Amino acid sequence: MSTESIDPDLQEIDRWPLERAVAAILAGQGRAVAAVVRVDEAIAHAATAAAARLGASGRIAYAGAGTSGRIGVQDGVELTPTFGWPEDRLAFFLAGGPDAMMRAVEGAEDDEGAGRTAVREAGLGGVDVLIGLAASGRTPFTIGAVREARERGALTIAVANNPGSALLQAGEHAILLDTGAEAVAGSTRLGAGTAQKAALNALSTAIMLKLGLVYRGLMVNMRISNAKLEGRAIAMIERVAGVDADRAKDALATAEGDIRVAVLIALGHDREAARRSLETGEPFDATVDRLRG
C-alpha cells in the first residue's frame, strides 16, 4: 500500500534540523490537498447523488476506524450548527464504539461483522447515505459497514487513499485520494488524514448546497447558539432582505431564531406563511428572489 511505503527522500527526517522537517511535513500536506482537487468531479457526483437520495427524512452516516472514523465524526457533528442539519438525521459507526473517539480500541477495526451489525441495528435503508472512510482501503469494519448499507439499499460513498482497494470496490461512489507515502511512514493522520478531511469538507458542504441550505454563500440555516452567531444572523437578514438592523432583529425574534423564516418575515410574510413556504412551497432562493422583485 502506498500509504505504508517509505519515502526515500524522507527516511532521515528524524535527523534533520527541525525547520527542514516541518517544511517537509507541510509540503506533504499541500500534496494531500492537491490529491483532493484531482477528484473534484467524483466528489461533486457523489454529493449530487446523496442530496437526491436524502429527501426529507434520509440520514447521513459515517463509518470508519481510528483516524478515519474520528475525521468522519468531526465532519458530521459540524453539519448541525453550520447548516441546521437535524441531529437525528446523523449516524456514526466508529470501530470500537464511542470510546474509540478518545483512545485506540485494539482489534476493533478488524471485525467486519461489527460494521455490518452497526449498520443493521441503525436500520439504514433506501433514503440514507453512508460515507465509509479508510486510508488503507482495506479496513474490515468499514468495508462491512459499506457492504451492509449497500445491500440494504442505502447510497454508499467510499473514501480511501490506496488505489484498487476493497473499500473503493464496495462503495457505489468511489473517491480515491492518492496521497502516497507519508512523511513518517504509515502515519496516515498526516497526508491521508488531511486529504480525507478536505474531501469531506467539500462533499458535505456540496450536499448542503444542493439541498438549498445556503443562500448566496451565506449559512442561512445555521443554529444560533451564542451572541456572536445572533449578530451574524441579524447581519444576514439585513443583507438578504434589504432591511435595517432593528427590523432584522425583530424578524429573527418572531421567527424564533429560524433565519430563513426571519428573512421571509422581513420581506412581508407572516410567520406561519413563511414556515409553510419553506415546508411545501417553492425553494427558499426562488421565494426570496421573487419577493425582492
Side-chain angles (χ1 to χ4, degrees):
M1 295 184 295
S2 61
T3 53
E4 297 292 327
S5 62
I6 298 172
D7 187 334
D9 293 331
L10 298 175
Q11 57 186 335
E12 298 292 324
I13 191 171
D14 51 300
R15 299 175 180 269
W16 293 351
L18 207 53
E19 292 82 358
R20 181 184 174 191
V22 169
I25 293 168
L26 292 176
Q29 298 288 286
R31 289 190 296 274
V33 174
V36 182
V37 174
R38 290 195 294 270
V39 295
D40 58 347
E41 289 188 6
I43 293 171
H45 291 159
T48 300
R53 181 66 64 91
L54 289 164
S57 61
R59 289 171 289 174
I60 300 174
Y62 299 78
T67 296
S68 295
R70 297 180 192 107
I71 289 171
V73 172
Q74 183 183 6
D75 186 74
V77 298
E78 293 293 340
L79 299 182
T80 298
T82 306
F83 301 107
W85 188 256
E87 291 180 4
D88 62 359
R89 294 180 65 187
L90 288 167
F92 302 101
F93 308 123
L94 187 59
D99 288 348
M101 274 299 297
M102 301 299 294
R103 61 181 180 84
V105 178
E106 297 298 331
E109 70 173 53
D110 298 327
D111 190 345
E112 179 174 342
R116 284 184 172 273
T117 297
V119 168
R120 189 163 54 248
E121 289 181 348
L124 250 63
V127 298
D128 301 315
V129 175
L130 174 68
I131 305 167
L133 303 107
S136 67
R138 66 180 192 184
T139 304
F141 176 90
T142 310
I143 293 169
V146 170
R147 286 174 174 166
E148 182 71 23
R150 190 169 183 179
E151 290 169 10
R152 295 174 64 86
L155 182 79
T156 53
I157 302 170
V159 181
N161 299 80
N162 282 283
S165 55
L167 179 60
L168 295 176
Q169 295 169 16
E172 185 175 346
H173 290 266
I175 298 174
L176 169 63
L177 308 173
D178 195 357
T179 47
E182 299 285 3
V184 177
S187 182
T188 51
R189 57 180 287 274
L190 297 173
T194 293
Q196 288 180 4
K197 182 63 171 71
L200 287 185
N201 282 348
L203 176 63
S204 59
T205 302
I207 293 170
M208 298 297 118
L209 289 170
K210 194 70 175 176
L211 290 172
L213 300 180
V214 176
Y215 177 81
R216 300 294 188 266
L218 299 173
M219 294 184 293
V220 292
N221 207 47
M222 73 175 189
R223 287 197 177 177
I224 302 170
S225 57
N226 55 47
K228 178 190 75 174
L229 295 180
E230 182 180 13
R232 182 186 295 170
I234 292 169
M236 280 193 277
I237 298 163
E238 289 182 72
R239 180 184 179 92
V240 175
V243 298
D244 62 27
D246 287 340
R247 185 169 175 184
K249 188 173 182 178
D250 288 344
L252 185 63
T254 302
E256 298 177 329
D258 188 315
I259 298 168
R260 295 191 298 169
V261 170
V263 167
L264 298 185
I265 291 172
L267 288 169
H269 272 319
D270 63 44
R271 185 174 66 186
E272 295 311 313
R275 286 177 173 167
R276 285 196 302 272
S277 177
L278 290 174
E279 292 171 359
T280 62
E282 64 188 339
F284 174 73
D285 58 347
T287 303
V288 172
D289 292 346
R290 176 174 55 79
L291 292 175
R292 290 185 63 175

